[in-house]
Amino acid sequence: MQTETRFPVTVIVPTYRRPDRLVHCLAALTRQTLPPSQVVVTVRPEDTRSADAAQAFAEALPLDIVAVTVPGVVAAINRGIDHARGAVVAITDDDAAPHPDWLERIEAWYHADDRIGGVGGRDHVFHDGVPETGAARDVGRLQWFGRVIGNHHIGTGPARDVDVLKGANWSFRRSAIGDLRLNTRLRGTGAQVQNELDFSLRMRRRGWRLVYDPNVAVDHFPSTRHDIDRRGEAGFHPQAKENAAFNDTLALMDHFGPANRAVFAAWALLVGTSEFPGLVQGLRLALLRRDRHAAAKLRATLRGRVAGFRDGKTDRREKDGRETAA
């Protein structure tokens, strides 16, 4: 019986000023049951400690250390994609440690169906060494009015098609990526929140299947972000919230047709979510949750939404004009 040819897999690890975590991530890659064909670590020139930490694995891994001068994870991942030679490109965070069978499970999915363009899985989140608990069957789904359901970190059950993958644990067929890159219009100089939403939806618009498999797993140890987006209530920053709301809005405005864009705009401004509150959720945060940042979150979200609506409409008109001219 003929053995199926393996796809060579490139792993991209964007990193910035977290050398200790990077060491754990790269050590996990040395223990893969399917060894990577290439590991691309993208580093900023001033981050010499991370570069040194990566260089220590030069003999254990097929390592390429690539400098990126533009701040933010978008530029870092795009730089990594430009250097990727594998038929499959897997991406994880520097504060994540892939399980030993991570690449083997990812690679197997791309043999299952030529229409599969992306595969991701569960990131088991740890806080101070304690794993976050929970179970959800509804994962990575975009509802028709604009609400995005995540739950990638607590997804259970069988593998299923999704609309959105998570950046701590996602991969793509290189031929599906083609000339596509993460959106440089997204705001922020660090995490650039919602970059996965934008990229995933663009892959879906090109007709590719995205698969979430809970057994494709990494352990995730959310670490310090060296920008204004610091995670959690203690790190709330109005500009970070505005940036995230802008990115969310821009991704959805690009994705939806005219009717859904109108519904999304109404829902986002009037209702929203606890993460991106509209008027109703803003009142809920203030009155029921006693969130001291409720008013600031609402103002920042609305600023980001309005800017995203404006830029999304401008971009849509430019796209329509180019298509008409063509």
Side-chain angles (χ1 to χ4, degrees), residues 274 279-291:
S274 58
L279 295 177
V280 171
Q281 287 289 348
L283 286 172
R284 178 173 174 268
L285 289 175
L287 300 177
L288 298 181
R289 290 196 177 184
R290 304 292 182 183
D291 187 337

Side-chain angles (χ1 to χ4, degrees), residues 13-24:
V13 184
T15 190
Y16 185 60
R17 293 176 58 189
R18 299 196 289 212
D20 294 341
R21 288 298 186 195
L22 177 63
V23 166
H24 288 289

Side-chain angles (χ1 to χ4, degrees), residues 56-77:
F57 288 84
E59 293 185 6
L61 292 169
L63 186 69
D64 288 336
I65 301 175
V66 177
V68 56
T69 57
V70 178
V73 71
V74 166
I77 292 177

Side-chain angles (χ1 to χ4, degrees), residues 1-314:
M1 186 174 67
Q2 187 174 3
T3 303
E4 200 166 36
T5 303
R6 292 280 196 181
F7 289 127
V9 183
T10 293
V11 179
I12 297 174
V13 184
T15 190
Y16 185 60
R17 293 176 58 189
R18 299 196 289 212
D20 294 341
R21 288 298 186 195
L22 177 63
V23 166
H24 288 289
C25 177
L26 296 180
L29 293 179
T30 68
R31 297 189 289 269
Q32 294 295 300
T33 54
L34 175 67
S37 63
Q38 179 191 22
V39 177
V40 179
V41 178
T42 58
V43 298
R44 300 263 289 277
E46 69 273 18
D47 188 11
T48 56
R49 290 187 61 204
S50 294
D52 291 343
Q55 187 60 44
F57 288 84
E59 293 185 6
L61 292 169
L63 186 69
D64 288 336
I65 301 175
V66 177
V68 56
T69 57
V70 178
V73 71
V74 166
I77 292 177
N78 284 346
R79 184 82 164 147
I81 292 173
D82 290 342
H83 282 76
R85 298 188 295 270
V88 172
V89 178
I91 307 168
T92 191
D93 289 350
D94 58 0
D95 58 0
H99 288 196
D101 60 355
W102 183 60
L103 290 182
E104 186 171 8
R105 288 183 179 277
I106 284 174
E107 191 268 353
W109 271 108
Y110 292 102
H111 290 288
D113 186 343
D114 290 341
R115 297 172 300 165
I116 294 176
V119 175
R122 184 168 177 171
D123 63 315
H124 296 267
V125 176
F126 288 75
H127 301 284
D128 297 323
V130 179
E132 189 171 332
T133 59
R137 299 296 290 266
D138 203 4
V139 174
R141 188 162 61 88
L142 172 62
Q143 295 181 298
W144 65 275
F145 55 88
R147 179 171 174 253
V148 179
I149 298 171
N151 292 334
H152 299 83
H153 63 303
I154 54 173
T156 59
R160 80 288 316 246
D161 281 28
V162 295
D163 298 309
V164 183
L165 299 173
K166 186 174 180 179
N169 182 5
W170 57 344
S171 71
F172 298 96
R173 193 185 297 271
R174 188 64 181 83
S175 59
I177 296 174
D179 61 354
L180 198 62
R181 296 295 183 272
L182 272 66
N183 195 343
T184 57
R185 295 167 62 210
L186 300 182
R187 291 183 179 180
T189 57
Q192 291 170 291
V193 176
Q194 304 298 87
N195 65 80
E196 308 105 312
L197 172 65
D198 182 272
F199 194 78
S200 294
L201 292 181
R202 285 194 286 155
M203 289 288 286
R204 294 282 291 119
R205 289 201 296 279
R206 290 189 171 194
W208 293 100
R209 289 179 59 197
L210 301 182
V211 173
Y212 173 86
D213 181 354
N215 293 317
V216 174
V218 305
D219 291 335
H220 192 190
F221 307 90
S223 301
T224 302
R225 288 174 174 169
H226 299 283
D227 67 344
I228 57 175
D229 186 354
R230 298 298 179 92
R231 292 192 175 106
E233 291 301 310
F236 170 72
H237 192 291
Q239 188 60 56
K241 179 62 67 177
E242 181 177 336
N243 290 345
F246 172 87
N247 295 346
D248 183 81
T249 306
L250 189 68
L252 294 173
M253 288 291 285
D254 280 351
H255 183 70
F256 282 143
N260 287 90
R261 289 201 300 271
V263 172
F264 165 58
W267 170 80
L269 296 175
L270 296 176
V271 183
T273 65
S274 58
E275 182 180 9
F276 300 122
L279 295 177
V280 171
Q281 287 289 348
L283 286 172
R284 178 173 174 268
L285 289 175
L287 300 177
L288 298 181
R289 290 196 177 184
R290 304 292 182 183
D291 187 337
R292 63 191 177 92
H293 298 302
K297 287 179 179 178
L298 177 60
R299 288 194 298 269
T301 297
L302 294 180
R303 287 196 300 269
R305 290 295 195 200
V306 170
F309 293 142
R310 182 183 62 244
D311 283 22
K313 288 178 181 177
T314 299

